[in-house]
Amino acid sequence: MSRVYNFSAGPAVLPEEVLKEAADEMLDYRGCGMSVMEMSHRSKVYDDIIKTAEADLRSLLSIPDDYEVMFLQGGASQQFAMIPMNLMKNKVADYIVTGQWAKKAYQEAQIYGKANKIASSEDKTFSYIPDCSDLPISPDADYVYICENNTIYGTKFKTLPNTKGKTLVSDVSSCFLSEPMDVTKYGLVYGGVQKNIGPAGVVIVIMKKELITEDVIPGTPTMLKYKTHTDAHSLYNTPPAYGIYICGKVF
Amino acid sequence: MSRVYNFSAGPAVLPEEVLKEAADEMLDYRGCGMSVMEMSHRSKVYDDIIKTAEADLRSLLSIPDDYEVMFLQGGASQQFAMIPMNLMKNKVADYIVTGQWAKKAYQEAQIYGKANKIASSEDKTFSYIPDCSDLPISPDADYVYICENNTIYGTKFKTLPNTKGKTLVSDVSSCFLSEPMDVTKYGLVYGGVQKNIGPAGVVIVIMKKELITEDVIPGTPTMLKYKTHTDAHSLYNTPPAYGIYICGKVF
């Protein structure tokens, strides 16, 4: 067997030892007589899996106690809506557009309020990161949004933007866990796991607790409120249990 | 190894031959040198997997060409919002409440319009299915909603309600593929796959094409419009690829 070392922009290679363990445990997870795909997400066995995954991620990224960790569904594309639905209290947000994903997030936010494009590198096909040291941050902006790594264009924020005190929201899908990061610089960091951490179908959201409230845009579905998920420790409904299990092995 | 035959209300047993094949293919899917978890959802190999899964489901349930099949995320709980957001053109829908899941769907629909509880068995702890042969269907109802099988209470609709010509929407999460069904009697049938078909994190929606339009409730996220997904054949963003692959094996 010849393994392909695929590290493309989308789903990419996983550690061979993770896949080997997953194969070995497929019919019987550690003597419990069933696959992780088959077990109740309310069982003691699964509770250990999801809690260990969260604890290991917290340890890897030194996530402080005043941040919640959520394992959600719908990919980054669903976060493009969830973020404004939950955070646009003043209905204003500033977007730095450095690639197609930031642009999609910016466009989606316009459904929910005034999304301002305060910087962009679209003039040169997203080939650079604009100077973000002194941007015209809106005085009433609820947050400043970036996509931190742009695989398609080969760019990455080397220093985070100066948000002038506003909450920083960052999509780290394509650089998640590739280097240390200081979570405390962000209000919300999120990423689809399929590039660096696990199988598609899981998105991890790390969010400052004080930002998680019931005060969301009217019409926000229950499943799209962060509070629904933090109140239930990512078990409000059946989670993407197998994907979380694989992520846990990668951590 | 002693396999547990778990057929509980939530995630439940999968066929052993499906799990064995998945274990065998974990490091190398049919000579392509990678796991299904690692491959691009835009690749030829994955395209075959998702198209075959859809074709096999269409064949199993004799799904006619004027129905779309979608593989989505977020579970039944997300459908509780997606259904009214997409179908409540008149902002009126009738719900038959026969258990906790139908009740949750009914409550969620109230966010988006006038949801009428036209029948319920809550008076006797959901221990029966009400007579649905002549219910007070609202003249302007956009649809009539049922949860077809209620595992917790041991009840199932043996005959479908008389909707007096209105679109029938049914949650079949816990009876999906357990017996033949006539898809043409429904406008929309959906189910989370984790009970009968595959791993949690995939929900299958079978929907009459004529019901899929851009005319949705204002503020509906792009990811929560059925049209987004049918236009892209369930590949608008990275799908829960591994879960769909397992479902395909079960079909």
Side-chain angles (χ1 to χ4, degrees):
Chain A
M1 181 192 66
S2 157
R3 290 262 305 156
V4 171
Y5 197 87
N6 152 39
F7 51 122
S8 64
V13 71
L14 286 167
E16 208 168 300
E17 58 268 43
V18 164
L19 296 173
K20 277 186 181 151
E21 265 190 45
D24 286 346
E25 292 170 351
M26 185 62 89
L27 278 93
D28 183 14
Y29 177 75
R30 301 186 185 178
C32 79
M34 56 181 101
S35 168
V36 173
M37 292 188 199
E38 302 172 294
M39 62 179 60
S40 168
H41 55 293
R42 310 283 177 204
S43 64
K44 173 80 181 66
V45 182
Y46 193 73
D47 200 55
D48 282 350
I49 291 172
I50 192 167
K51 283 200 176 129
T52 305
E54 179 178 335
D56 289 347
L57 179 64
R58 283 186 176 274
S59 162
L60 274 169
L61 286 176
S62 305
I63 302 172
D65 286 346
D66 58 333
Y67 282 74
E68 293 276 5
V69 172
M70 289 167 256
F71 296 99
L72 306 180
Q73 297 185 58
S77 298
Q78 194 155 304
Q79 291 305 308
F80 298 167
M82 265 182 97
I83 288 162
M85 287 177 123
N86 283 269
L87 291 184
M88 263 196 181
K89 318 287 182 191
N90 298 322
K91 302 217 169 201
V92 179
D94 290 346
Y95 280 72
I96 299 173
V97 178
T98 56
Q100 65 151 316
W101 298 115
K103 190 175 174 181
K104 280 199 173 190
Y106 161 65
Q107 287 165 339
E108 189 79 3
Q110 291 172 42
I111 302 175
Y112 305 103
K114 192 164 182 300
N116 304 303
K117 196 198 301 183
I118 56 165
S120 169
S121 53
E122 195 163 12
D123 59 338
K124 292 186 180 163
T125 335
F126 299 124
S127 58
Y128 67 101
I129 299 287
D131 176 4
C132 297
S133 59
D134 186 20
L135 292 172
I137 307 287
S138 309
D140 51 352
D142 293 302
Y143 57 89
V144 177
Y145 182 100
I146 61 170
C147 178
E148 200 155 325
N149 187 76
N150 306 277
T151 313
I152 306 169
Y153 317 99
T155 65
K156 182 176 189 302
F157 282 82
K158 295 218 168 98
T159 50
L160 294 175
N162 174 4
T163 65
K164 302 180 182 176
K166 301 297 182 191
T167 297
L168 180 62
V169 172
S170 179
D171 173 359
V172 295
S173 298
S174 64
C175 57
F176 218 168
L177 292 181
S178 65
E179 61 184 348
M181 69 185 296
D182 182 355
V183 169
T184 64
K185 291 188 173 156
Y186 305 83
L188 189 160
V189 195
Y190 78 94
V193 304
Q194 70 274 7
K195 171 85 181 70
N196 285 8
I197 305 173
V202 180
V203 59
I204 295 175
V205 178
I206 304 166
M207 188 170 180
K208 202 165 190 177
K209 279 183 182 168
E210 67 186 33
L211 295 173
I212 303 165
T213 69
E214 282 286 357
D215 174 25
V216 298
I217 299 234
T220 300
T222 303
M223 280 289 288
L224 268 60
K225 291 180 189 172
Y226 291 116
K227 195 160 190 312
T228 299
H229 298 287
T230 55
D231 282 355
H233 304 286
S234 300
L235 295 171
Y236 171 73
N237 71 334
T238 320
Y242 196 75
I244 297 168
Y245 151 81
I246 297 291
C247 293
K249 285 191 185 296
V250 173
F251 303 152
Chain B
M1 183 194 66
S2 156
R3 289 263 304 154
V4 171
Y5 197 88
N6 153 38
F7 51 122
S8 64
V13 72
L14 286 167
E16 209 167 301
E17 57 268 41
V18 165
L19 296 174
K20 277 186 180 151
E21 266 191 44
D24 287 346
E25 292 170 351
M26 184 63 87
L27 279 93
D28 183 14
Y29 177 74
R30 302 186 186 179
C32 78
M34 57 181 100
S35 168
V36 173
M37 291 187 200
E38 301 172 294
M39 64 179 61
S40 168
H41 55 292
R42 310 281 178 203
S43 65
K44 172 80 180 69
V45 182
Y46 193 74
D47 200 57
D48 282 349
I49 291 172
I50 192 168
K51 283 202 176 129
T52 305
E54 179 177 335
D56 288 347
L57 179 63
R58 283 187 176 274
S59 161
L60 272 170
L61 286 177
S62 305
I63 301 172
D65 286 345
D66 58 334
Y67 282 74
E68 293 275 5
V69 172
M70 289 167 257
F71 296 99
L72 306 180
Q73 297 184 58
S77 298
Q78 194 154 304
Q79 292 305 307
F80 297 167
M82 264 181 96
I83 289 161
M85 286 177 123
N86 284 269
L87 291 184
M88 262 196 182
K89 317 287 183 192
N90 298 323
K91 301 218 169 202
V92 179
D94 290 344
Y95 280 72
I96 300 173
V97 178
T98 56
Q100 65 150 316
W101 299 113
K103 191 176 174 181
K104 280 198 172 191
Y106 162 66
Q107 287 165 339
E108 190 80 2
Q110 291 172 41
I111 301 175
Y112 305 103
K114 190 164 184 300
N116 303 303
K117 195 197 301 184
I118 57 166
S120 169
S121 52
E122 197 165 11
D123 59 337
K124 292 186 181 163
T125 336
F126 300 124
S127 57
Y128 66 102
I129 299 287
D131 176 4
C132 297
S133 59
D134 186 21
L135 293 173
I137 306 287
S138 308
D140 51 353
D142 292 301
Y143 59 88
V144 176
Y145 183 100
I146 60 169
C147 178
E148 199 155 327
N149 188 75
N150 306 277
T151 313
I152 306 169
Y153 316 100
T155 65
K156 183 175 189 299
F157 281 82
K158 296 221 168 95
T159 50
L160 294 175
N162 174 4
T163 65
K164 301 180 183 176
K166 301 296 180 190
T167 296
L168 180 62
V169 172
S170 178
D171 173 359
V172 296
S173 298
S174 64
C175 57
F176 218 167
L177 292 181
S178 65
E179 61 183 348
M181 68 185 295
D182 182 355
V183 168
T184 65
K185 291 188 173 157
Y186 306 82
L188 190 160
V189 194
Y190 78 95
V193 305
Q194 70 273 7
K195 171 86 180 72
N196 284 9
I197 305 172
V202 180
V203 57
I204 294 174
V205 178
I206 304 164
M207 189 169 178
K208 203 165 189 180
K209 280 183 181 167
E210 68 185 32
L211 295 172
I212 302 165
T213 69
E214 283 285 358
D215 174 24
V216 298
I217 300 235
T220 300
T222 304
M223 280 289 288
L224 268 60
K225 290 181 189 172
Y226 291 117
K227 195 160 190 312
T228 299
H229 299 287
T230 55
D231 282 354
H233 304 287
S234 300
L235 295 171
Y236 172 73
N237 70 336
T238 321
Y242 195 76
I244 296 169
Y245 151 80
I246 297 291
C247 294
K249 286 192 184 296
V250 173
F251 302 152

